[in-house]
Amino acid sequence: ETHGISFRIQISVKELLDTDVLLKLLFHLPVNYPSTLPDISVNSDQLTRAQCMDVKDKLLEQAKKHLSEPMVHDLILWVQQHLKDVIKQSATVCNEKTTLSKGAEDGIWMLLLHLDHMRAKAKYVKTVEKWASNLRLTGRLMFMGKIILILLQGDRSSVKEYLILQKTSKVDVDSSGKKCKEKMMSVLCETEVQSQHKRFQTFEVKEYSTPEELQKEFETSGLKTLFSEFVPPLLK
C-alpha cells in the first residue's frame, strides 16, 4: 500500500550465434503504477553490465509509450523481439570500452546499499565495520533521519563477498529480540569505479542532519550522479 510491489521475471531469449540468453528482470511497480513508470533492473550472466544497462534504458523508453496502461507483459514481449538489436548497438560501444578497461573484472568496484532499519544498531554497525575491515573495503555507513545507506569501494571479489555476508548473516534482531538476517536490503547500484570518482581512504560511520549534508558527502567524492539517481526517491 505504501511501497508498491516488486517481482522478478526470468526469460530466455534466442540470441546471437543461436545461444540462449537468460535475462533476469526485476520490476518495482510504485503505488500509482501504471500512471508512474516502473523501476526496472536487468541482469544476465551472458551480457556485460553495459549491455544490461542498455537493455534497461530501452525498456524504460518503451515503458514511456505505455504510460497509464499496464505494460509489463508488453515490455517482456518487446525485449524478446528486440534484444539482438540492442546488443548489436551496444557491442560497438562496448568494444571501444573493453580495450580501455582490460582486467575490469579485477578492478575497483563500488556498491551502494539501502537498509530499511537497524533494531540492534550498535551491534549491526560493529558488524559492518568488521566486514569492511576484513575485506579491505573503504567507504561510508551513512545515517540521515530514517535513511541508512552503505557505500563501499574495493576489489570486485571483496564487494561480492560483502554482499553475500550481508544477505546470509544474522546481523540484526527481529521485533521479539531474536537474531535475524537482513531481509529489507536493496542494492541501489553496483558498478566499476570511474576516473571521476574519488577513492575513499577509510571506512567511516557518519550521521547527517539534512539531505544537503548527505548530498555534499557524495558530491565531494565525485559521486553527484550516483546521489541524484538513487537517493532523492528515498527522501520522499
Side-chain angles (χ1 to χ4, degrees):
E1 290 176 6
T2 54
H3 298 296
I5 58 163
S6 296
F7 55 90
R8 190 185 298 277
I9 293 177
Q10 291 200 156
I11 54 168
S12 188
V13 185
K14 262 281 189 263
E15 226 344 276
L16 306 162
L17 307 173
D18 288 333
T19 55
D20 283 356
V21 171
L22 187 67
L23 277 186
K24 298 166 191 167
L25 306 171
L26 182 68
F27 289 91
H28 173 249
L29 308 185
V31 182
N32 38 5
Y33 167 87
S35 44
T36 303
L37 290 177
D39 288 322
I40 304 171
S41 165
V42 179
N43 281 295
S44 173
D45 292 339
Q46 290 104 321
L47 302 182
T48 64
R49 184 144 192 90
Q51 287 171 324
C52 287
M53 291 297 283
D54 285 341
V55 173
K56 173 188 163 176
D57 292 343
K58 296 290 182 195
L59 278 172
L60 286 171
E61 276 176 31
Q62 291 303 310
K64 285 175 188 166
K65 297 177 185 174
H66 295 283
L67 205 56
S68 297
E69 58 190 62
M71 63 185 81
V72 173
H73 183 248
D74 291 315
L75 294 178
I76 289 164
L77 290 178
W78 185 88
V79 81
Q80 285 176 315
Q81 291 161 5
H82 295 89
L83 183 65
K84 199 175 281 192
D85 303 328
V86 177
I87 289 175
K88 272 184 187 164
Q89 276 178 10
S90 75
T92 50
V93 180
C94 197
N95 287 339
E96 291 164 17
K97 280 186 184 167
T98 40
T99 49
L100 297 172
S101 61
K102 281 271 188 287
E105 191 66 28
D106 312 314
I108 300 302
W109 280 68
M110 181 163 59
L111 180 68
L112 181 62
L113 303 174
H114 173 240
L115 302 181
D116 187 72
H117 62 273
M118 287 182 181
R119 280 202 175 91
K121 184 176 173 181
K123 178 179 171 292
Y124 204 136
V125 169
K126 266 195 175 155
T127 304
V128 171
E129 286 180 309
K130 186 175 130 200
W131 289 342
S133 168
N134 290 349
L135 294 166
R136 296 184 180 171
L137 296 170
T138 60
R140 299 284 183 268
L141 169 51
M142 301 178 270
F143 295 93
M144 203 290 297
K146 289 187 176 178
I147 292 173
I148 306 167
L149 298 170
I150 300 176
L151 179 60
L152 297 168
Q153 291 178 345
D155 293 341
R156 191 175 189 188
S157 57
S158 298
V159 166
K160 288 198 175 301
E161 202 173 322
Y162 179 93
L163 256 182
I164 293 165
L165 284 170
Q166 181 78 58
K167 287 175 180 171
T168 58
S169 307
K170 291 186 175 179
V171 283
D172 207 0
V173 295
D174 61 19
S175 52
S176 61
K178 272 192 191 161
K179 288 183 179 179
C180 66
K181 292 177 186 174
E182 177 58 73
K183 295 192 178 79
M184 304 285 283
M185 178 194 80
S186 48
V187 178
L188 300 179
C189 179
E190 187 183 347
T191 184
E192 193 177 2
V193 170
Q194 304 299 320
S195 55
Q196 71 270 25
H197 302 149
K198 284 194 187 151
R199 289 290 312 279
F200 291 108
Q201 298 306 308
T202 56
F203 183 80
E204 292 177 42
V205 180
K206 288 195 161 188
E207 305 240 0
Y208 308 86
S209 39
T210 64
E212 290 72 30
E213 275 182 30
L214 184 61
Q215 185 171 356
K216 196 174 175 191
E217 177 76 75
F218 277 80
E219 288 180 356
T220 51
S221 306
L223 302 172
K224 187 177 181 178
T225 313
L226 190 72
F227 178 90
S228 58
E229 192 172 343
F230 297 106
V231 183
L234 304 173
L235 298 170
K236 287 174 185 167

